Amino acid sequence: MLIVEAIILSVIAASTPLLLAAAGELVVERSGVLNLGVEGMMIMGAACGFAGAFLSGSTFVGALTGIAAGMALSFVFAVLTLGLAVNQVAAGLALTILGIGLSGLIGASFVGQKIVPAPHLYIPGLSDIPVAGKILFAQDGFVYFSVLLVVGIWWFLYRTRGGLILRAVGDSHTSAHALGYPVLKIRLMAVLFGGGCAGLAGAFLPLAYTPFFIPGMTAGRGWIALALVVFSSWLPGRLVAGAYLFGAVSILQLHAQALGLGIPSQLMTSLPYLATVIVLVIISRARGSAGSVAPASLGVVFVPDR
Amino acid sequence: MKKLLMTAAAAALALAATAMNASAADKLKVGFIYLGPVGDLGWTYMHEVARQALVKELGDKIETTYLENVNEGPDSERSIVQLARTGHQLIFTTSFGYMDPTVKVAKQFPKINFEHATGYKRATNLGTYSGRFYEGRYIQGVIAAKMSKTGTIGYIGSFPIPEVISGINATMLGAQSVNPNIKVKIIWVNTWFDPGKEADAAKALADQGADVLMQHTDSPAAMQVAQQRGIYAFGQDSDMIKFGPKSQLTAIVNNWGPYYIKQTKAALAGTWKSEDTWDGLKEKMVVMAPYTNMPDDVKKLAEKTEADIVAGTLVPFKCPVLGQDGKPVECKGGTHLDAGQILGMNFYVKGVDDKMPGK
């Protein structure tokens, strides 16, 4: 295997969970809800996804249980923030803590168990093309789905009436409400969608990335996904670029170390974060006085009868 | 109404707490602070196995508590104080990064006894304990050099602290005793526990030609990558043969149980005192998992190396130890490096082709 090919394969694997979780969160934030519980929903997806795959023997069932687990946890968040109008930041953080604890409990009996990793696509002929074949035509289902997901989200947000309404809700919930749109119902759908994506992203880890379950195995990827949404300035296209940039830098720094280039590893590890900060600065400078690019109602509690 | 409920709940809680205290009053409370989750199958898992052994042995006389996922550094201080305030008389803090917080809390609670793993700061109520893991690393180095066809060992490091550095050096010295031209590629992942990142590092090392992987991180991710790639690896902290039935050559198994039982017995008897314990293969604080997936001659050599270390006829850091520049380092222990030099190791030995992070 060529080293370039090996690096690209690793980059794709490292970027996929980030992309899946961030894509879901992007839709949630576009509807005006800030759910900081991505890490918690991911780890629940990892635990339940592994449990599902282990008990059924099927990666597909595992992915579905992962999605369901993420959705279930996001429903708790929706009840708190949409139903009871609780502060979104606090509820999101609580969700993460809850998810980490609960996943440890659920996953405890599965620690040390093994499953068969997610199967990779194989198309005779195409998959055998040197370099490109392996990269384009021999990935697992998660990778293809993550790309389709982002394309689908882009299409929904910018090419459908539903997407227009969702963006309107995120930018001004009072106006959307006055026009007769069911703000809370739309936000509920968005939150559940985000939960499902985070659950699937979490399930990717034990089903395809490292085929075993260990408590806490998401190791902060949910937080990176959150940062990516800001990095992308809430645009699906930039999100893909951001996720792959993040993945690429984190894999390349490992290879740079193994080559013994002598660049301090601490510096290399911080590069993706540094890149985020720089891009944010550039974006805010470019916008000038136009103000923030964030959905205007992001994180603001909405009570319909106010 | 709401307020009333809250008051009632608080009262009930307080009652429950006193009830628990009353029943626990005559039992010694032993507390543990863990770095990772108890199910990490690595470092924390082995401390948990030891705690269970302790409960099995002295369960009728003691009560144990553990706090898992406690971050290193100043954050951990709160967790240690929490154990100290809730009546724990003996507290084990099980990671290097808890050193300064433990020292600080030990000063605040002079009547409580503390034990800190892998550190070097002691007080009258604060002892330290650690394993001579480098002895196991030396044996692994010997095996790795025998088994590697490419002559390159891949090494996944967590943080460049002395314990990890001495492990790398011991590996290198063991490997050089078999093949003087052996190479080691090192990747620092700057985390103890991130299965995904550990797997990525393992893949990167394999992609760059390493065919024996060593790790100083806590999850079995690297072992699994080795199994997938058809190369070899060593288990870390616990026997990881389940994750690499065709890949694991052996594993360094941390065996804290006997020590926890010994120290708790001393605390029960009132004879506990601050000590600096540093035991290895001989005292069985460090145990090697079965030698597997290797030809008989390599297995024999590994067993002989282990026996020689136990007997004291083989000392991994025997002088002269050459630094990276090829010059011998100062030999403070007479014929070998002394404990301080190994526990505070901050240099690479000759042949390690890597720049020490932060130097």
Side-chain angles (χ1 to χ4, degrees):
Chain A
M1 195 162 37
L2 278 169
I3 191 89
V4 180
E5 183 187 353
I7 290 175
I8 295 176
L9 287 175
S10 299
V11 169
I12 293 173
S15 309
T16 298
L18 302 176
L19 186 57
L20 284 171
E25 178 67 13
L26 184 135
V27 173
V28 178
E29 295 193 12
R30 268 301 177 96
S31 82
V33 179
L34 180 66
N35 185 353
L36 295 180
V38 180
E39 178 81 4
M41 299 186 294
M42 270 184 88
I43 188 68
M44 276 298 282
C48 297
F50 186 87
F54 181 76
L55 296 174
S56 70
S58 146
T59 304
F60 186 68
V61 173
L64 289 184
T65 42
I67 293 172
M71 280 183 142
L73 203 59
S74 70
F75 184 71
V76 175
F77 177 81
V79 168
L80 290 173
T81 57
L82 303 178
L84 303 171
V86 168
N87 179 298
Q88 292 176 4
V89 171
L93 292 174
L95 203 66
T96 289
I97 298 166
L98 175 69
I100 290 172
L102 205 57
S103 65
L105 188 68
I106 291 171
S109 52
F110 297 99
V111 169
Q113 303 289 2
K114 281 195 309 186
I115 53 165
V116 180
H120 283 235
L121 185 73
Y122 182 78
I123 309 167
L126 283 179
S127 302
D128 299 326
I129 301 170
V131 188
K134 267 265 174 65
I135 292 164
L136 295 177
F137 304 112
Q139 297 288 349
D140 55 51
F142 290 95
V143 174
Y144 297 113
F145 183 77
S146 68
V147 177
L148 288 178
L149 181 72
V150 179
V151 174
I153 287 172
W154 172 84
W155 180 80
F156 170 75
L157 285 178
Y158 298 103
R159 291 289 180 272
T160 69
R161 191 177 155 74
L164 188 65
I165 296 170
L166 183 120
R167 284 189 286 142
V169 167
D171 274 327
S172 172
H173 48 216
T174 29
S175 312
H177 179 63
L179 285 170
Y181 293 120
V183 172
L184 291 182
K185 204 170 142 197
I186 290 165
R187 286 190 170 166
L188 171 67
M189 304 298 260
V191 167
L192 289 177
F193 177 77
C197 290
L200 183 67
F204 171 79
L205 299 174
L207 297 184
Y209 204 28
T210 53
F212 59 85
F213 176 75
I214 278 189
M217 70 185 297
T218 47
R221 283 181 180 75
W223 299 111
I224 295 174
L226 276 167
L228 278 174
V229 177
V230 182
F231 176 93
S232 73
S233 48
W234 292 269
L235 301 172
R238 281 199 199 156
L239 192 70
V240 179
Y244 275 84
L245 177 73
F246 228 94
V249 177
S250 54
I251 296 297
L252 283 174
Q253 63 105 353
L254 296 174
H255 278 273
Q257 284 195 50
L259 281 173
L261 296 183
I263 306 165
S265 65
Q266 293 90 337
L267 180 70
M268 301 290 272
T269 315
S270 67
L271 273 184
Y273 305 91
L274 216 59
T276 309
V277 173
I278 292 168
V279 171
L280 284 177
V281 170
I282 293 171
I283 289 171
S284 75
R285 295 286 296 185
R287 304 272 311 182
S289 56
S292 165
V293 289
S297 293
L298 183 61
V300 183
V301 168
F302 177 69
V303 182
D305 56 3
R306 194 176 279 163
Chain B
M1 186 59 201
K2 217 174 186 180
K3 220 172 201 172
L4 191 73
L5 269 178
M6 292 281 277
T7 324
L13 265 178
L15 263 176
T18 27
M20 266 164 66
N21 277 344
S23 72
D26 41 1
K27 282 189 176 180
L28 179 81
K29 284 177 93 176
V30 185
F32 293 84
I33 303 274
Y34 294 153
L35 180 64
V38 291
D40 71 352
L41 295 178
W43 180 259
T44 295
Y45 171 70
M46 293 315 286
H47 284 286
E48 173 60 10
V49 166
R51 185 192 66 85
Q52 286 168 6
L54 173 66
V55 170
K56 210 173 157 203
E57 178 88 13
L58 299 168
D60 49 338
K61 298 190 193 77
I62 60 164
E63 193 179 314
T64 61
T65 311
Y66 66 82
L67 300 178
E68 56 183 336
N69 283 320
V70 177
N71 286 331
E72 293 187 322
D75 252 11
S76 59
E77 195 180 317
R78 254 174 293 139
S79 306
I80 306 170
V81 166
Q82 193 195 330
L83 286 184
R85 288 230 174 97
T86 47
H88 293 82
Q89 286 301 309
L90 182 60
I91 297 171
F92 293 91
T93 57
T94 63
S95 185
F96 180 77
Y98 300 147
M99 182 162 68
D100 290 335
T102 309
V103 169
K104 230 169 138 183
V105 180
K107 234 179 237 163
Q108 286 169 33
F109 296 88
K111 287 197 179 129
I112 296 175
N113 295 326
F114 293 85
E115 295 255 3
H116 175 237
T118 69
Y120 52 81
K121 292 185 182 169
R122 280 168 289 276
T124 50
N125 65 331
L126 168 60
T128 56
Y129 61 103
S130 185
R132 292 177 185 261
F133 306 112
Y134 69 88
E135 294 181 347
R137 296 270 171 196
Y138 186 91
I139 302 172
Q140 292 184 342
V142 169
I143 299 170
K146 275 276 183 193
M147 297 302 290
S148 175
K149 289 191 186 74
T150 59
T152 306
I153 303 171
Y155 208 111
I156 304 166
S158 47
F159 295 99
I161 59 171
E163 195 205 319
V164 180
I165 302 287
S166 67
I168 293 170
N169 285 342
T171 302
M172 207 55 195
L173 293 174
Q176 283 167 344
S177 75
V178 174
N179 172 8
N181 297 317
I182 194 85
K183 288 214 158 29
V184 60
K185 280 184 184 292
I186 304 171
I187 291 183
W188 297 99
V189 288
N190 288 308
T191 175
W192 284 111
F193 180 79
D194 181 342
K197 209 169 185 185
E198 291 168 45
D200 287 338
K203 284 180 203 159
L205 288 166
D207 291 339
Q208 294 201 16
D211 60 353
V212 180
L213 299 181
M214 311 252 310
Q215 60 170 21
H216 208 137
T217 48
D218 292 348
S219 92
M223 177 62 73
Q224 218 170 26
V225 169
Q227 175 78 13
Q228 280 164 7
R229 297 286 181 103
I231 57 177
Y232 297 112
F234 294 99
Q236 162 73 2
D237 299 330
S238 68
D239 192 340
M240 295 178 171
I241 189 88
K242 244 183 14 199
F243 293 95
K246 291 214 157 57
S247 286
Q248 179 172 293
L249 295 167
T250 180
I252 296 176
V253 178
N254 307 347
N255 183 27
W256 306 109
Y259 180 76
Y260 286 168
I261 292 170
K262 192 182 100 194
Q263 293 306 94
T264 307
K265 275 184 178 162
L268 280 167
T271 56
W272 186 95
K273 60 179 193 300
S274 163
E275 275 172 282
D276 172 19
T277 304
W278 198 30
D279 291 345
L281 290 167
K282 192 177 155 200
E283 300 85 356
K284 295 200 163 37
M285 189 176 261
V286 178
V287 178
M288 301 307 284
Y291 297 111
T292 45
N293 294 315
M294 60 183 85
D296 274 345
D297 62 315
V298 182
K299 191 176 170 184
K300 284 216 177 80
L301 180 64
E303 282 164 349
K304 186 179 178 311
T305 310
E306 184 179 345
D308 288 349
I309 291 176
V310 170
T313 49
L314 194 161
V315 181
F317 289 113
K318 195 180 141 210
C319 291
V321 174
L322 303 182
Q324 234 173 346
D325 54 3
K327 288 185 195 135
V329 297
E330 193 190 350
C331 194
K332 290 183 184 162
T335 55
H336 52 83
L337 300 190
D338 75 355
Q341 278 179 298
I342 299 173
L343 287 170
M345 199 164 271
N346 63 353
F347 65 90
Y348 282 137
V349 296
K350 191 173 172 235
V352 178
D353 190 18
D354 184 56
K355 199 167 158 270
M356 176 106 49
K359 277 213 134 186

